[in-house]
C-alpha cells in the first residue's frame, strides 16, 4: 500500500517560514491535500490539489508538489498556526485514501 | 451554513454493532461524495470509507473491509456507517467529511468536516 512520510515535528519562530514535507513514491503525479488540526478541534482543509487554497485560508499557506516530495509552506508564522498538519492523497492502486502520519508544528 | 453533525457513538462491547449517522445541512447533499475518517485517541487521521454522491460507488480501508458498510439517504440528507464485529482497535473519534466539487472523484479533498462522534469498544 502507498505510504506518506511526514516529520513528526517542526519548530519555527514567529514571523519565520515553516516547511512541512510529505514524502511518497512519485507523489508528484498525485494531487496532495493538506489539513490543519488544532487540539480538540476537527481538521480544517488549508491546501488542496497541491497548491490551491480554500476560501478563508490566508495566503501565508501555500503548497508545492514535485518528484517524491510535497511541501506545505507557512510564511510569517503566527502563534495561532500551532497545530498538527496532515497530508493526504488518493491511492488509485488500492482505491483508498492515504493520510500521512501528521506533523506537529510548534511555534517557539 | 454548511454543517455536518455526527451522532450514534458510544461504548460497545467487542463483537457488537453500532450505526453512526452524519446529518448534513446547508448544501445539496445529493451532489457530493462523502467520507468517514477516524482518529484513535492521541493518534493521527485514518481514512475509513467513501461513498459517491449517488451511492453507486464506495471504497473501504483494509482495516474495516467486510465489517463496515457506508451508505447514504439523499432524501434525508444523511450519511451512515454501519459498524459490525467491532474490535478494541476501532476505538476512535469518527468524523464525516464532505468533498469539494459537485459530483467529484475519490481524489477530491475534504472541504468540510464534522465535529466527530466517539466510539469506544471495550468489555
Amino acid at each position: 500500500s502507498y505510504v506518506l512520510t511526514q516529520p513528526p515535528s517542526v519548530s519555527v519562530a514567529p514571523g519565520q517560514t515553516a516547511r512541512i514535507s510529505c514524502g511518497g513514491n512519485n507523489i508528484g503525479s498525485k494531487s496532495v491535500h493538506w489539513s490543519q488540526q488544532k487540539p480538540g478541534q476537527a481538521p480544517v482543509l488549508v491546501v488542496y490539489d497541491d497548491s490551491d487554497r480554500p476560501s478563508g485560508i490566508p495566503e501565508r499557506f501555500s503548497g508545492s508538489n514535485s518528484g517524491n516530495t510535497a511541501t506545505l509552506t507557512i510564511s510569517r508564522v503566527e502563534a495561532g498556526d500551532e497545530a498538527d498538519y496532515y497530508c493526504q492523497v488518493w491511492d488509485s492502486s488500492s482505491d483508498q485514501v492515504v493520510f500521512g502520519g501528521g506533523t506537529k508544528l510548534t511555534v517557539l | 451554513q454548511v454543517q455536518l453533525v455526527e451522532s450514534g457513538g458510544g461504548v460497545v462491547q467487542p463483537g457488537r454493532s453500532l450505526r453512526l449517522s452524519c446529518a448534513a445541512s446547508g448544501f445539496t447533499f445529493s451532489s457530493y461524495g462523502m467520507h468517514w475518517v477516524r482518529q484513535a485517541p492521541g493518534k493521527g487521521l485514518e481514512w475509513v470509507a467513501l461513498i459517491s454522491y449517488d451511492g453507486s460507488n464506495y471504497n473501504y480501508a483494509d482495516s474495516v473491509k467486510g465489517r463496515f458498510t457506508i451508505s447514504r439517504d439523499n432524501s434525508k440528507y444523511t450519511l451512515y456507517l454501519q459498524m459490525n464485529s467491532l474490535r478494541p482497535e476501532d476505538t476512535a473519534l469518527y468524523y464525516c467529511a464532505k468533498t469539494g466539487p459537485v459530483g467529484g472523484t475519490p481524489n477530491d479533498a475534504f472541504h468540510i468536516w464534522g465535529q466527530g462522534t466517539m466510539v469506544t469498544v471495550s468489555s
Side-chain angles (χ1 to χ4, degrees):
Chain A
S1 59
Y2 195 77
V3 176
L4 293 175
T5 301
Q6 297 183 236
S9 62
V10 168
S11 299
V12 65
Q16 299 303 303
T17 297
R19 294 179 179 84
I20 299 172
S21 62
C22 176
N25 185 36
N26 197 26
I27 194 175
S29 66
K30 301 179 182 297
S31 288
V32 180
H33 316 306
W34 292 90
S35 292
Q36 173 196 68
Q37 186 179 34
K38 296 181 180 179
Q41 298 184 19
V44 172
L45 183 68
V46 292
V47 167
Y48 66 100
D49 292 348
D50 296 340
S51 58
D52 290 336
R53 274 187 317 277
S55 60
I57 300 301
E59 291 183 6
R60 301 185 297 105
F61 289 82
S62 62
S64 62
N65 184 19
S66 178
N68 293 317
T69 305
T71 303
L72 173 69
T73 301
I74 309 171
S75 304
R76 302 179 300 283
V77 167
E78 303 173 355
D81 298 331
E82 195 162 272
D84 294 326
Y85 291 85
Y86 296 90
C87 58
Q88 171 199 335
V89 300
W90 170 255
D91 178 25
S92 57
S93 64
S94 64
D95 284 341
Q96 298 185 19
V97 172
V98 179
F99 283 102
T103 297
K104 180 176 181 58
L105 175 67
T106 298
V107 181
L108 300 171
Chain B
Q1 74 281 20
V2 175
Q3 193 172 12
L4 299 171
V5 178
E6 301 92 338
S7 61
V11 180
V12 61
Q13 294 179 328
R16 303 299 292 266
S17 299
L18 206 60
R19 189 176 83 157
L20 305 183
S21 299
C22 169
S25 59
F27 65 100
T28 304
F29 182 68
S30 60
S31 296
Y32 295 88
M34 298 292 294
H35 294 250
W36 286 100
V37 178
R38 68 185 182 183
Q39 187 170 35
K43 303 297 185 182
L45 301 175
E46 180 188 13
W47 175 75
V48 174
L50 75 85
I51 188 166
S52 60
Y53 68 98
D54 60 357
S56 62
N57 292 293
Y58 36 82
N59 296 90
Y60 298 94
D62 290 340
S63 57
V64 307
K65 204 172 291 184
R67 300 187 299 123
F68 289 13
T69 302
I70 189 172
S71 63
R72 64 191 298 160
D73 186 334
N74 285 345
S75 68
K76 295 183 178 179
Y77 273 51
T78 303
L79 174 73
Y80 302 102
L81 185 68
Q82 177 67 42
M83 304 185 296
N84 298 332
S85 303
L86 282 162
R87 305 167 179 169
E89 55 264 37
D90 295 318
T91 294
L93 185 62
Y94 284 73
Y95 295 102
C96 62
K98 166 191 171 294
T99 56
V102 170
T105 71
N107 199 25
D108 295 328
F110 303 162
H111 283 250
I112 301 293
W113 296 67
Q115 289 303 306
T117 186
M118 186 67 199
V119 173
T120 302
V121 183
S122 174
S123 53

Short mmCIF file of all heavy atoms in Angstrom, two decimals, chain B residues 11-68:
data_model
loop_
_atom_site.label_atom_id
_atom_site.label_comp_id
_atom_site.label_asym_id
_atom_site.label_seq_id
_atom_site.Cartn_x
_atom_site.Cartn_y
_atom_site.Cartn_z
N VAL B 11 -20.31 3.56 23.92
CA VAL B 11 -19.49 2.45 24.39
C VAL B 11 -20.16 1.14 24.00
O VAL B 11 -21.36 0.95 24.25
CB VAL B 11 -19.30 2.51 25.92
CG1 VAL B 11 -18.44 1.34 26.38
CG2 VAL B 11 -18.68 3.84 26.33
N VAL B 12 -19.41 0.26 23.39
CA VAL B 12 -19.97 -1.01 22.91
C VAL B 12 -18.97 -2.13 23.18
O VAL B 12 -17.75 -1.90 23.18
CB VAL B 12 -20.32 -0.91 21.41
CG1 VAL B 12 -19.09 -0.62 20.58
CG2 VAL B 12 -21.04 -2.14 20.92
N GLN B 13 -19.48 -3.32 23.43
CA GLN B 13 -18.60 -4.46 23.68
C GLN B 13 -18.00 -5.00 22.38
O GLN B 13 -18.62 -4.89 21.31
CB GLN B 13 -19.39 -5.58 24.37
CG GLN B 13 -19.86 -5.23 25.77
CD GLN B 13 -20.65 -6.35 26.40
OE1 GLN B 13 -21.35 -7.10 25.71
NE2 GLN B 13 -20.56 -6.48 27.72
N PRO B 14 -16.83 -5.61 22.47
CA PRO B 14 -16.24 -6.23 21.27
C PRO B 14 -17.20 -7.24 20.65
O PRO B 14 -17.89 -7.98 21.36
CB PRO B 14 -14.99 -6.92 21.82
CG PRO B 14 -14.63 -6.13 23.04
CD PRO B 14 -15.95 -5.70 23.64
N GLY B 15 -17.23 -7.22 19.33
CA GLY B 15 -18.10 -8.14 18.60
C GLY B 15 -19.49 -7.60 18.32
O GLY B 15 -20.21 -8.17 17.50
N ARG B 16 -19.86 -6.53 18.98
CA ARG B 16 -21.18 -5.96 18.78
C ARG B 16 -21.19 -4.97 17.62
O ARG B 16 -20.16 -4.74 16.97
CB ARG B 16 -21.66 -5.27 20.08
CG ARG B 16 -21.68 -6.16 21.28
CD ARG B 16 -22.62 -7.35 21.11
NE ARG B 16 -24.02 -6.94 21.09
CZ ARG B 16 -24.80 -6.92 22.16
NH1 ARG B 16 -24.31 -7.27 23.35
NH2 ARG B 16 -26.06 -6.56 22.06
N SER B 17 -22.36 -4.39 17.37
CA SER B 17 -22.54 -3.47 16.23
C SER B 17 -22.95 -2.09 16.70
O SER B 17 -23.46 -1.91 17.82
CB SER B 17 -23.61 -4.01 15.28
OG SER B 17 -23.24 -5.27 14.76
N LEU B 18 -22.75 -1.12 15.80
CA LEU B 18 -23.12 0.27 16.06
C LEU B 18 -23.35 0.94 14.72
O LEU B 18 -22.65 0.62 13.74
CB LEU B 18 -22.00 0.96 16.83
CG LEU B 18 -22.34 2.16 17.73
CD1 LEU B 18 -23.33 1.76 18.81
CD2 LEU B 18 -21.05 2.71 18.35
N ARG B 19 -24.29 1.85 14.65
CA ARG B 19 -24.50 2.61 13.41
C ARG B 19 -24.33 4.09 13.70
O ARG B 19 -25.02 4.65 14.56
CB ARG B 19 -25.89 2.36 12.81
CG ARG B 19 -26.02 2.99 11.42
CD ARG B 19 -27.35 2.69 10.75
NE ARG B 19 -28.41 3.61 11.18
CZ ARG B 19 -29.49 3.87 10.46
NH1 ARG B 19 -29.65 3.31 9.28
NH2 ARG B 19 -30.42 4.68 10.94
N LEU B 20 -23.44 4.70 12.95
CA LEU B 20 -23.21 6.14 13.05
C LEU B 20 -24.01 6.85 11.98
O LEU B 20 -24.23 6.32 10.89
CB LEU B 20 -21.72 6.46 12.88
CG LEU B 20 -20.74 5.74 13.81
CD1 LEU B 20 -19.32 6.25 13.54
CD2 LEU B 20 -21.12 5.90 15.24
N SER B 21 -24.42 8.08 12.30
CA SER B 21 -25.12 8.93 11.34
C SER B 21 -24.40 10.26 11.23
O SER B 21 -23.72 10.70 12.16
CB SER B 21 -26.56 9.18 11.78
OG SER B 21 -27.28 7.97 11.87
N CYS B 22 -24.56 10.88 10.08
CA CYS B 22 -23.99 12.20 9.84
C CYS B 22 -25.06 13.01 9.13
O CYS B 22 -25.38 12.75 7.96
CB CYS B 22 -22.74 12.08 8.98
SG CYS B 22 -22.10 13.64 8.33
N ALA B 23 -25.62 13.98 9.84
CA ALA B 23 -26.68 14.83 9.28
C ALA B 23 -26.06 16.04 8.60
O ALA B 23 -25.28 16.78 9.22
CB ALA B 23 -27.63 15.26 10.38
N ALA B 24 -26.41 16.24 7.34
CA ALA B 24 -25.86 17.33 6.56
C ALA B 24 -26.89 18.44 6.38
O ALA B 24 -28.09 18.18 6.30
CB ALA B 24 -25.41 16.82 5.19
N SER B 25 -26.39 19.68 6.31
CA SER B 25 -27.27 20.81 6.06
C SER B 25 -26.46 21.93 5.40
O SER B 25 -25.24 21.97 5.49
CB SER B 25 -27.90 21.32 7.36
OG SER B 25 -26.91 21.70 8.28
N GLY B 26 -27.17 22.82 4.73
CA GLY B 26 -26.53 23.98 4.13
C GLY B 26 -25.97 23.78 2.74
O GLY B 26 -25.35 24.69 2.18
N PHE B 27 -26.17 22.60 2.18
CA PHE B 27 -25.72 22.33 0.81
C PHE B 27 -26.57 21.20 0.22
O PHE B 27 -27.29 20.52 0.95
CB PHE B 27 -24.23 21.96 0.78
CG PHE B 27 -23.87 20.66 1.48
CD1 PHE B 27 -23.68 19.49 0.76
CD2 PHE B 27 -23.73 20.61 2.86
CE1 PHE B 27 -23.34 18.30 1.39
CE2 PHE B 27 -23.41 19.44 3.51
CZ PHE B 27 -23.21 18.28 2.78
N THR B 28 -26.47 21.01 -1.08
CA THR B 28 -27.23 19.96 -1.76
C THR B 28 -26.51 18.63 -1.56
O THR B 28 -25.59 18.28 -2.30
CB THR B 28 -27.38 20.28 -3.25
OG1 THR B 28 -27.99 21.57 -3.39
CG2 THR B 28 -28.26 19.23 -3.94
N PHE B 29 -26.92 17.92 -0.55
CA PHE B 29 -26.23 16.70 -0.11
C PHE B 29 -26.03 15.70 -1.25
O PHE B 29 -24.97 15.09 -1.38
CB PHE B 29 -27.02 16.07 1.03
CG PHE B 29 -26.42 14.83 1.61
CD1 PHE B 29 -25.24 14.87 2.34
CD2 PHE B 29 -27.05 13.60 1.44
CE1 PHE B 29 -24.70 13.72 2.89
CE2 PHE B 29 -26.51 12.44 1.98
CZ PHE B 29 -25.34 12.50 2.71
N SER B 30 -27.04 15.57 -2.08
CA SER B 30 -27.02 14.55 -3.13
C SER B 30 -26.01 14.83 -4.24
O SER B 30 -25.84 14.00 -5.14
CB SER B 30 -28.41 14.41 -3.76
OG SER B 30 -28.82 15.63 -4.32
N SER B 31 -25.32 15.96 -4.16
CA SER B 31 -24.37 16.33 -5.21
C SER B 31 -22.91 16.05 -4.84
O SER B 31 -22.02 16.29 -5.66
CB SER B 31 -24.50 17.82 -5.55
OG SER B 31 -25.76 18.11 -6.11
N TYR B 32 -22.67 15.56 -3.63
CA TYR B 32 -21.29 15.46 -3.16
C TYR B 32 -20.94 14.08 -2.62
O TYR B 32 -21.73 13.46 -1.89
CB TYR B 32 -21.03 16.49 -2.06
CG TYR B 32 -21.14 17.91 -2.55
CD1 TYR B 32 -22.35 18.58 -2.54
CD2 TYR B 32 -20.02 18.58 -3.05
CE1 TYR B 32 -22.46 19.88 -3.01
CE2 TYR B 32 -20.11 19.87 -3.50
CZ TYR B 32 -21.33 20.51 -3.48
OH TYR B 32 -21.42 21.79 -3.94
N GLY B 33 -19.73 13.64 -2.94
CA GLY B 33 -19.19 12.45 -2.31
C GLY B 33 -18.92 12.71 -0.83
O GLY B 33 -18.66 13.85 -0.44
N MET B 34 -18.98 11.66 -0.03
CA MET B 34 -18.80 11.78 1.40
C MET B 34 -17.85 10.70 1.91
O MET B 34 -17.74 9.61 1.32
CB MET B 34 -20.15 11.64 2.12
CG MET B 34 -21.18 12.69 1.78
SD MET B 34 -20.75 14.34 2.37
CE MET B 34 -20.83 14.07 4.16
N HIS B 35 -17.18 11.01 3.00
CA HIS B 35 -16.21 10.10 3.58
C HIS B 35 -16.42 9.97 5.09
O HIS B 35 -16.97 10.87 5.73
CB HIS B 35 -14.78 10.61 3.38
CG HIS B 35 -14.31 10.64 1.97
ND1 HIS B 35 -13.35 9.78 1.47
CD2 HIS B 35 -14.66 11.46 0.93
CE1 HIS B 35 -13.11 10.06 0.21
NE2 HIS B 35 -13.90 11.07 -0.16
N TRP B 36 -15.94 8.87 5.64
CA TRP B 36 -15.75 8.71 7.07
C TRP B 36 -14.25 8.59 7.33
O TRP B 36 -13.54 7.87 6.62
CB TRP B 36 -16.44 7.45 7.60
CG TRP B 36 -17.93 7.55 7.69
CD1 TRP B 36 -18.84 7.06 6.80
CD2 TRP B 36 -18.69 8.18 8.73
NE1 TRP B 36 -20.12 7.35 7.23
CE2 TRP B 36 -20.06 8.03 8.41
CE3 TRP B 36 -18.35 8.86 9.92
CZ2 TRP B 36 -21.08 8.52 9.23
CZ3 TRP B 36 -19.36 9.35 10.72
CH2 TRP B 36 -20.71 9.17 10.38
N VAL B 37 -13.80 9.31 8.36
CA VAL B 37 -12.40 9.29 8.79
C VAL B 37 -12.40 9.12 10.30
O VAL B 37 -13.27 9.68 10.99
CB VAL B 37 -11.69 10.61 8.42
CG1 VAL B 37 -10.24 10.61 8.92
CG2 VAL B 37 -11.72 10.83 6.91
N ARG B 38 -11.46 8.37 10.84
CA ARG B 38 -11.42 8.20 12.29
C ARG B 38 -10.07 8.58 12.85
O ARG B 38 -9.07 8.64 12.13
CB ARG B 38 -11.78 6.77 12.67
CG ARG B 38 -10.77 5.72 12.26
CD ARG B 38 -11.31 4.31 12.58
NE ARG B 38 -10.36 3.26 12.23
CZ ARG B 38 -10.61 1.96 12.36
NH1 ARG B 38 -11.80 1.55 12.83
NH2 ARG B 38 -9.70 1.07 12.03
N GLN B 39 -10.07 8.82 14.15
CA GLN B 39 -8.85 9.21 14.84
C GLN B 39 -8.84 8.58 16.22
O GLN B 39 -9.63 8.96 17.09
CB GLN B 39 -8.75 10.74 14.95
CG GLN B 39 -7.45 11.25 15.49
CD GLN B 39 -7.32 12.76 15.34
OE1 GLN B 39 -8.29 13.51 15.44
NE2 GLN B 39 -6.10 13.23 15.10
N ALA B 40 -7.98 7.60 16.42
CA ALA B 40 -7.83 6.98 17.72
C ALA B 40 -7.24 8.00 18.70
O ALA B 40 -6.53 8.93 18.28
CB ALA B 40 -6.93 5.75 17.62
N PRO B 41 -7.52 7.85 19.98
CA PRO B 41 -7.02 8.82 20.97
C PRO B 41 -5.52 9.02 20.88
O PRO B 41 -4.75 8.06 20.94
CB PRO B 41 -7.43 8.19 22.30
CG PRO B 41 -8.63 7.37 21.97
CD PRO B 41 -8.38 6.82 20.61
N GLY B 42 -5.11 10.26 20.68
CA GLY B 42 -3.69 10.60 20.61
C GLY B 42 -2.99 10.19 19.33
O GLY B 42 -1.77 10.31 19.23
N LYS B 43 -3.75 9.73 18.35
CA LYS B 43 -3.15 9.26 17.10
C LYS B 43 -3.54 10.14 15.92
O LYS B 43 -4.26 11.12 16.07
CB LYS B 43 -3.60 7.81 16.83
CG LYS B 43 -3.25 6.84 17.94
CD LYS B 43 -1.74 6.72 18.14
CE LYS B 43 -1.43 5.65 19.18
NZ LYS B 43 0.04 5.54 19.42
N GLY B 44 -3.06 9.77 14.75
CA GLY B 44 -3.33 10.53 13.55
C GLY B 44 -4.64 10.15 12.89
O GLY B 44 -5.41 9.33 13.39
N LEU B 45 -4.89 10.78 11.74
CA LEU B 45 -6.11 10.51 11.00
C LEU B 45 -5.99 9.22 10.21
O LEU B 45 -4.94 8.92 9.64
CB LEU B 45 -6.38 11.67 10.03
CG LEU B 45 -6.54 13.05 10.65
CD1 LEU B 45 -6.67 14.11 9.56
CD2 LEU B 45 -7.73 13.09 11.59
N GLU B 46 -7.09 8.47 10.19
CA GLU B 46 -7.15 7.23 9.41
C GLU B 46 -8.44 7.24 8.59
O GLU B 46 -9.54 7.31 9.14
CB GLU B 46 -7.13 5.99 10.30
CG GLU B 46 -7.20 4.69 9.51
CD GLU B 46 -7.38 3.45 10.37
OE1 GLU B 46 -7.71 3.57 11.56
OE2 GLU B 46 -7.20 2.33 9.85
N TRP B 47 -8.30 7.17 7.28
CA TRP B 47 -9.46 7.11 6.41
C TRP B 47 -10.18 5.78 6.59
O TRP B 47 -9.55 4.73 6.75
CB TRP B 47 -9.02 7.28 4.97
CG TRP B 47 -10.13 7.13 3.98
CD1 TRP B 47 -11.12 8.02 3.70
CD2 TRP B 47 -10.36 6.00 3.13
NE1 TRP B 47 -11.95 7.51 2.73
CE2 TRP B 47 -11.50 6.28 2.36
CE3 TRP B 47 -9.70 4.78 2.94
CZ2 TRP B 47 -12.01 5.39 1.41
CZ3 TRP B 47 -10.20 3.89 2.01
CH2 TRP B 47 -11.35 4.19 1.26
N VAL B 48 -11.54 5.84 6.55
CA VAL B 48 -12.33 4.63 6.77
C VAL B 48 -13.08 4.20 5.51
O VAL B 48 -12.99 3.04 5.10
CB VAL B 48 -13.35 4.87 7.92
CG1 VAL B 48 -14.29 3.68 8.05
CG2 VAL B 48 -12.62 5.14 9.22
N ALA B 49 -13.83 5.13 4.91
CA ALA B 49 -14.66 4.74 3.77
C ALA B 49 -15.12 5.97 3.01
O ALA B 49 -15.15 7.08 3.55
CB ALA B 49 -15.88 3.94 4.25
N LEU B 50 -15.49 5.75 1.75
CA LEU B 50 -16.07 6.81 0.95
C LEU B 50 -17.28 6.27 0.20
O LEU B 50 -17.39 5.07 -0.07
CB LEU B 50 -15.05 7.38 -0.03
CG LEU B 50 -14.67 6.56 -1.28
CD1 LEU B 50 -15.65 6.79 -2.44
CD2 LEU B 50 -13.27 6.94 -1.74
N ILE B 51 -18.17 7.19 -0.17
CA ILE B 51 -19.32 6.85 -0.99
C ILE B 51 -19.54 7.98 -1.98
O ILE B 51 -19.39 9.16 -1.64
CB ILE B 51 -20.58 6.60 -0.12
CG1 ILE B 51 -21.72 6.04 -0.97
CG2 ILE B 51 -21.00 7.85 0.63
CD1 ILE B 51 -22.87 5.47 -0.13
N SER B 52 -19.87 7.62 -3.20
CA SER B 52 -20.09 8.62 -4.24
C SER B 52 -21.38 9.39 -3.98
O SER B 52 -22.20 8.99 -3.15
CB SER B 52 -20.12 7.97 -5.62
OG SER B 52 -21.17 7.01 -5.67
N TYR B 53 -21.56 10.47 -4.73
CA TYR B 53 -22.70 11.37 -4.49
C TYR B 53 -24.05 10.65 -4.60
O TYR B 53 -24.99 10.97 -3.89
CB TYR B 53 -22.65 12.54 -5.47
CG TYR B 53 -22.89 12.15 -6.90
CD1 TYR B 53 -24.16 12.30 -7.48
CD2 TYR B 53 -21.89 11.60 -7.69
CE1 TYR B 53 -24.40 11.92 -8.79
CE2 TYR B 53 -22.11 11.23 -9.00
CZ TYR B 53 -23.37 11.38 -9.54
OH TYR B 53 -23.60 11.00 -10.84
N ASP B 54 -24.11 9.63 -5.48
CA ASP B 54 -25.37 8.94 -5.71
C ASP B 54 -25.41 7.57 -5.03
O ASP B 54 -26.38 6.82 -5.21
CB ASP B 54 -25.63 8.78 -7.21
CG ASP B 54 -24.54 7.98 -7.91
OD1 ASP B 54 -23.55 7.60 -7.26
OD2 ASP B 54 -24.67 7.75 -9.13
N GLY B 55 -24.37 7.23 -4.28
CA GLY B 55 -24.35 5.96 -3.56
C GLY B 55 -23.98 4.77 -4.41
O GLY B 55 -23.99 3.63 -3.90
N SER B 56 -23.60 4.99 -5.66
CA SER B 56 -23.35 3.87 -6.56
C SER B 56 -21.93 3.30 -6.42
O SER B 56 -21.67 2.16 -6.83
CB SER B 56 -23.58 4.28 -8.01
OG SER B 56 -22.68 5.32 -8.38
N ASN B 57 -21.03 4.09 -5.85
CA ASN B 57 -19.65 3.63 -5.69
C ASN B 57 -19.19 3.85 -4.26
O ASN B 57 -19.51 4.87 -3.64
CB ASN B 57 -18.71 4.37 -6.64
CG ASN B 57 -18.96 4.00 -8.09
OD1 ASN B 57 -18.71 2.87 -8.50
ND2 ASN B 57 -19.48 4.94 -8.85
N TYR B 58 -18.41 2.90 -3.75
CA TYR B 58 -17.89 3.03 -2.40
C TYR B 58 -16.60 2.24 -2.28
O TYR B 58 -16.35 1.30 -3.03
CB TYR B 58 -18.91 2.54 -1.37
CG TYR B 58 -19.72 1.36 -1.82
CD1 TYR B 58 -19.22 0.06 -1.72
CD2 TYR B 58 -20.99 1.53 -2.37
CE1 TYR B 58 -19.95 -1.02 -2.15
CE2 TYR B 58 -21.72 0.46 -2.81
CZ TYR B 58 -21.21 -0.82 -2.69
OH TYR B 58 -21.93 -1.89 -3.14
N ASN B 59 -15.77 2.69 -1.34
CA ASN B 59 -14.49 2.03 -1.08
C ASN B 59 -14.23 2.04 0.42
O ASN B 59 -14.75 2.91 1.14
CB ASN B 59 -13.35 2.75 -1.79
CG ASN B 59 -13.48 2.72 -3.30
OD1 ASN B 59 -14.09 3.60 -3.88
ND2 ASN B 59 -12.93 1.70 -3.92
N TYR B 60 -13.41 1.09 0.86
CA TYR B 60 -13.14 0.94 2.28
C TYR B 60 -11.66 0.77 2.55
O TYR B 60 -10.91 0.23 1.72
CB TYR B 60 -13.87 -0.30 2.84
CG TYR B 60 -15.36 -0.23 2.73
CD1 TYR B 60 -16.03 -0.79 1.64
CD2 TYR B 60 -16.12 0.40 3.71
CE1 TYR B 60 -17.41 -0.71 1.53
CE2 TYR B 60 -17.50 0.46 3.62
CZ TYR B 60 -18.14 -0.08 2.53
OH TYR B 60 -19.50 -0.01 2.43
N ALA B 61 -11.24 1.17 3.73
CA ALA B 61 -9.89 0.87 4.20
C ALA B 61 -9.79 -0.63 4.47
O ALA B 61 -10.78 -1.27 4.84
CB ALA B 61 -9.59 1.65 5.47
N ASP B 62 -8.62 -1.16 4.28
CA ASP B 62 -8.42 -2.60 4.51
C ASP B 62 -8.80 -2.98 5.93
O ASP B 62 -9.30 -4.09 6.16
CB ASP B 62 -6.96 -2.97 4.26
CG ASP B 62 -6.58 -2.90 2.79
OD1 ASP B 62 -7.50 -2.93 1.93
OD2 ASP B 62 -5.38 -2.81 2.49
N SER B 63 -8.59 -2.09 6.88
CA SER B 63 -8.81 -2.40 8.30
C SER B 63 -10.29 -2.58 8.64
O SER B 63 -10.61 -3.15 9.70
CB SER B 63 -8.22 -1.29 9.17
OG SER B 63 -8.78 -0.03 8.84
N VAL B 64 -11.20 -2.13 7.78
CA VAL B 64 -12.63 -2.23 8.08
C VAL B 64 -13.39 -3.01 7.02
O VAL B 64 -14.60 -3.27 7.20
CB VAL B 64 -13.27 -0.84 8.26
CG1 VAL B 64 -12.49 -0.02 9.29
CG2 VAL B 64 -13.35 -0.10 6.94
N LYS B 65 -12.71 -3.36 5.94
CA LYS B 65 -13.39 -4.05 4.84
C LYS B 65 -14.04 -5.34 5.31
O LYS B 65 -13.43 -6.13 6.04
CB LYS B 65 -12.37 -4.33 3.73
CG LYS B 65 -12.96 -4.49 2.35
CD LYS B 65 -11.84 -4.57 1.30
CE LYS B 65 -11.13 -3.25 1.13
NZ LYS B 65 -10.10 -3.27 0.06
N GLY B 66 -15.30 -5.53 4.94
CA GLY B 66 -16.03 -6.73 5.34
C GLY B 66 -16.75 -6.59 6.66
O GLY B 66 -17.57 -7.43 7.02
N ARG B 67 -16.43 -5.53 7.42
CA ARG B 67 -17.09 -5.32 8.73
C ARG B 67 -17.94 -4.04 8.74
O ARG B 67 -18.97 -4.00 9.42
CB ARG B 67 -16.04 -5.22 9.84
CG ARG B 67 -15.18 -6.45 9.99
CD ARG B 67 -14.28 -6.34 11.23
NE ARG B 67 -13.36 -5.21 11.17
CZ ARG B 67 -13.30 -4.24 12.09
NH1 ARG B 67 -14.11 -4.25 13.13
NH2 ARG B 67 -12.42 -3.26 11.96
N PHE B 68 -17.48 -3.01 8.02
CA PHE B 68 -18.19 -1.72 8.00
C PHE B 68 -18.89 -1.55 6.65
O PHE B 68 -18.39 -1.99 5.61
CB PHE B 68 -17.21 -0.58 8.19
CG PHE B 68 -16.62 -0.46 9.59
CD1 PHE B 68 -16.76 -1.48 10.53
CD2 PHE B 68 -15.93 0.68 9.96
CE1 PHE B 68 -16.22 -1.36 11.80
CE2 PHE B 68 -15.39 0.82 11.23
CZ PHE B 68 -15.54 -0.21 12.15
#
